[in-house]
Amino acid sequence: DDKLLSEPLSHPDFFNVKELFSLKDLFDARVHLGHKKGCRHRFMEPYIFGCRLDQDIIDLDQTMQHLQLALNFTAHIAYRKGIILFVSRKRQFCHLIERTARECGEYAHTRYWQGGLLTNAHIQFGPGVRLPDLLIFLSSLNNVFESHVAIRDAAKMNIPTVGVVDTNCNPCLITYPIPGNDDSPTAMELYCKLFRMAIIRAKDKRRQSEALDQLR
Amino acid sequence: MAGNRMQKIGSVFSRTRNLLRIGVIEKPLWFDVYAAFPPLREPVYRVPRPRYGKVTDVIRSIFYQEDEVRARFYRVYGSGPRPFDLSQLNHKSTCQRFVEKYYELKEEGKIEEEKLFEETGKALLASGIILQRRGTDKVAPQDHQDNETRASVLHLQRQTLLEEVQKKKEGQEERTPELAEAQKNPSPS
């Protein structure tokens, strides 16, 4: 059992997430397009490549690195049978995200986030609730363009987070930020596809490893 | 059931590591994975303060050499005859064709700098793309004439409008007494 869990950590890319995406895919999905100069958040400046006629362009080389780390982390959590929660407050993509979560076998919360969902879970849901082991933010802002409450709550409850941060978001508290566009439908479909493939791959590998172990 | 809810101090990892060292919690699922593959920046909370004093833009603007040609194209011809088709990934707009033709002719080197712009326009016409000028290039002696002609044209237009309005008013006055008579006539019957 120990060997089952520790063996994947020795490989740099056990689930081969690098082959799931390329720079051209990111560019074609318009992941590099940010908001206008006035909306820029100060902490996103290191991730921005430049400004073309007042519109921020995100540095896709950095996005590639961040995306690879984030997908790798997600895959490892899924391999260890962790609970993953997709969070987003974009009404345009709420159905897409819920469908992705259902296909992965994981969970999604794309509606209004009540105050004590994570911090007051034992009273809201009853004693002995298991909290999610990873939160994936496909858009880290809520409908009033402020940081989603769940980012702060996950940091409080010591739950790691993976999040797509646009040029107007605060990437400080997110464990594995992915600088990229969160407004285009093509970009969101790409992220959903990548996360779904990573999670399904990890779960299949886990089943294979367990089957091999049982045979021995 | 211990925990550390202070999200503004340290990162998730540092707090969990310290709690583990004391021995008040058991190792969470993600701890080993984070230790093996840490992120590029440790997720520590930072206060988002705005910049004070002389505000310098840290981010460079993206401009290309071809932007000069593009700016001139848009000033002279406005947005091109065909709209942009953004659903196609390799759509080449009229402006892009213009820029490419411009650089081709420039590399050939037979035409002078000042005439390159007009020559590119002619070359595009030859290949079938019609370019309509948006407004005349500002040349000093023509300005006064243009203003005078524009003023006289406007004056004529105003005169014709006034005549039309007067005619309409007379027409209405003729019609209203007719209506009044028509209304009076059926009532006694």
Side-chain angles (χ1 to χ4, degrees), chain B residues 11-169:
Chain B
S11 71
V12 186
F13 182 69
S14 65
R15 274 176 271 134
T16 325
R17 188 193 57 208
N18 295 334
L19 286 171
L20 271 177
R21 208 179 64 173
I22 304 169
V24 290
I25 55 171
E26 52 179 52
K27 190 185 273 199
L29 215 78
W30 54 270
F31 193 80
D32 288 326
V33 189
Y34 187 112
F37 308 109
L40 296 173
R41 176 197 165 257
E42 209 191 341
V44 184
Y45 178 78
R46 279 159 72 189
V47 187
R49 270 191 240 281
R51 284 202 162 88
Y52 288 112
K54 242 198 297 182
V55 183
T56 47
D57 201 6
V58 201
I59 293 175
R60 57 182 152 180
S61 333
I62 302 175
F63 284 117
Y64 302 98
Q65 273 289 333
E66 297 95 327
D67 281 344
E68 293 173 11
V69 185
R70 285 191 193 121
R72 204 166 159 204
F73 175 87
Y74 283 121
R75 209 183 314 137
V76 172
Y77 296 113
S79 52
R82 254 185 311 141
F84 283 69
D85 188 5
L86 290 175
S87 50
Q88 287 181 0
L89 286 171
N90 52 357
H91 171 80
K92 212 176 260 196
S93 62
T94 320
C95 184
Q96 186 58 27
R97 274 185 223 261
F98 188 94
V99 167
E100 284 174 1
K101 202 64 176 232
Y102 186 95
Y103 274 89
E104 269 178 35
L105 293 174
K106 192 171 182 185
E107 266 178 60
E108 280 176 18
K110 295 174 198 163
I111 314 170
E112 300 163 349
E113 292 273 338
E114 298 96 37
K115 296 200 183 160
L116 258 178
F117 197 79
E118 292 143 28
E119 290 299 316
T120 342
K122 288 179 201 163
L124 277 184
L125 261 173
S127 58
I129 304 168
I130 306 167
L131 295 167
Q132 234 184 11
R133 286 192 166 232
R134 185 175 70 159
T136 50
D137 274 332
K138 303 259 164 101
V139 182
Q142 278 186 23
D143 255 348
H144 300 296
Q145 289 179 15
D146 276 348
N147 278 337
E148 283 175 7
T149 46
R150 249 181 270 151
S152 56
V153 162
L154 280 171
H155 191 64
L156 277 171
Q157 284 179 346
R158 233 180 285 144
Q159 277 187 331
T160 45
L161 273 172
L162 279 168
E163 285 169 12
E164 282 176 25
V165 163
Q166 281 176 351
K167 277 186 199 164
K168 270 193 197 164
K169 274 191 187 164

Side-chain angles (χ1 to χ4, degrees), chain A residues 137-158:
Chain A
F137 286 93
L138 285 150
S139 158
S140 63
L141 296 180
N142 60 14
N143 286 339
V144 223
F145 299 103
E146 290 170 349
S147 265
H148 200 295
V149 176
I151 300 176
R152 190 206 67 187
D153 281 356
K156 270 186 183 288
M157 304 307 288
N158 295 336

Side-chain angles (χ1 to χ4, degrees), chain A residues 158-191:
Chain A
N158 295 336
I159 300 171
T161 45
V162 163
V164 177
V165 279
D166 207 345
T167 47
N168 54 352
C169 308
N170 187 352
C172 282
L173 281 177
I174 299 177
T175 329
Y176 291 87
I178 304 170
N181 189 9
D182 63 0
D183 298 297
S184 292
T186 41
M188 290 302 268
E189 280 168 14
L190 178 77
Y191 298 134

